[in-house]
Amino acid sequence: MSQATAIDTGNTEKWQAQDGAHHLHPFTNPNDLLQKPPRIIESARGVYLTDSDGNQLLDMMAGLWCVNMGYGQQDLVEAAHKQIQQLPYYNAFFKTSTPPAAELSALLAEVTPAHLDHAFFTSSGSEANDTVLRLVWRYWEVMGKPEKRVVISRKNAYHGSTIASSSLGGMEEMHKQGGIIPDIVHVEQPNWFAKRCELGKDLDREEFGRQAAQSIADKIEELGVDKVAAFIAEPIQGAGGVIVPPESYWPEVKKICEHYGILLVADEVSCGFGRTGEWFGTYYYDLKPDLMPIAKGLSSGYLPIGGVMVADRIMDALINQGGEFNHGYTYSGHPVCAAVAIANIKLMQRDNIVQTVRDSTAPYLQKRLRELGEHPLVGEVRGVGMFGALELVRDKANYIRFDKDQGVGTICRDFCFENNLVMRAVGDAMIISPPLIVQPDEIDIFIERAWQCLDLTQKAIA
Ligand SMILES: *Cc1c(COP(=O)(O)O)cnc(C)c1O
């Protein structure tokens, strides 16, 4: 990796003033930013961000679950540079394509499961899930069953922030402000920790997993299978708090989808591209999804690109029975974004990163993460691959959480941020999703800083 560019530290106040006056931030209370202006991130290398005052932050979130190959990868920079000179834009609407769009679709067919042979391109995960909904409905229409419309999702799922994708998601706070479109229903999430807190006692993990899966079958029976089109889920819920389902859950869900003949959609936007220690969460849980939305790690976040991998049986139905698929985005298959995604996947293959994660760095991360479970504040540690979560609780033994209003997760997150560690809070769950290239010595630094910040949090709330 080349040298970091020199930092000009004189501009922080200028940027903060501009930002405060003109930038409306996503998922942020604007009033909070007036009280405390944002930190300006100016450059990055590897797993470290540098702010406009020259501080180095250890980024254990890989940006927003996306910078899987870390910052400063020159292959990706050069791929963008080369492509933007040769052909900065052309579309795929006019019976045309571009070399990067064609090559990326072939490469994706190679790295995803064998029955997923076609890619529809989008610019984000949210758009990918809008496309999922269009494809699900289109499929049942061409199959002569247009009354199959309902998509079953899960409470606390995250599928994006457009109206369709947030409706597919199960975030109550988003539904309160954005509403929810028809024909989407939500069932229980396989969140063993939350369930034990709700009950205030222990609970058989595998039995609970089967029950959570059964809630899908119950919903299908309630609505009538002739009305139900699909079930959508993240293999491991990311933004909902890194919720790793019990082992019993996915085998049961697979059986239910097969039994009722509904489509299975595996949202791989955060699980995909190595995060679980496999190329996709679909391999980790041995799933056979009909549709597989992807984004984030597809380009390691260097440029915005997403897509939906489409199973052969759906493609065949569209080819044999359909007319035009009346759906697409100006930037579907954008050549520069596609060129960067190709460079990213090739880099992953060349460096054997998924294998390194699975066999070496992820086991080390998971082992050290569990040491944090000895901290008095931590009620549960969970994680798979390069996903991890620490649940902060008031009373470990009795599964008693803090009051929501106390904002303990946010307090801890703020301590982390002040101490140059990026860890995210989802409620009182502290979340990590580091770049896949994170090294053992960097994991050690993370554990040390995390423990310090847990201590600071404990003192602050005492
Ligand atoms: C981030 C995310 C999305 C939304 O992707 P955007 O690129 O932010 O639109 C969808 N699904 C999952 C599982 C995600 O983690």
Side-chain angles (χ1 to χ4, degrees), residues 64-65 123-127 129 158-161 165 234 238-239 267-271 295-296:
L64 265 179
W65 328 78
S123 300
S124 69
S126 299
E127 286 179 2
N129 279 312
Y158 191 76
H159 297 299
S161 199
S165 62
E234 303 148 80
D267 182 345
E268 292 268 11
V269 172
S270 59
C271 289
K296 293 193 170 122

Side-chain angles (χ1 to χ4, degrees), residues 372-373 375 377-378 390 392 412 415-416 423 430 447 449-460:
L372 295 172
H375 195 280
L377 272 187
V378 178
L390 310 170
L392 308 187
C412 184
F415 278 126
C416 292
M423 186 155 56
M430 303 309 299
I447 298 292
R449 284 188 195 172
W451 190 277
Q452 279 166 6
C453 294
L454 289 168
D455 280 347
L456 289 168
T457 305
Q458 197 182 13
K459 269 194 213 126

Side-chain angles (χ1 to χ4, degrees), residues 339-373:
V340 168
I342 293 166
N344 180 59
I345 294 171
K346 287 192 170 159
L347 181 65
M348 290 179 72
Q349 290 175 324
R350 195 193 67 205
D351 288 0
N352 255 322
I353 187 73
V354 180
Q355 210 176 327
T356 305
V357 165
R358 187 190 60 205
D359 298 343
S360 161
T361 44
Y364 185 70
L365 173 70
Q366 295 299 333
K367 180 179 124 251
R368 295 240 45 206
L369 196 61
R370 273 154 189 79
E371 293 170 21
L372 295 172

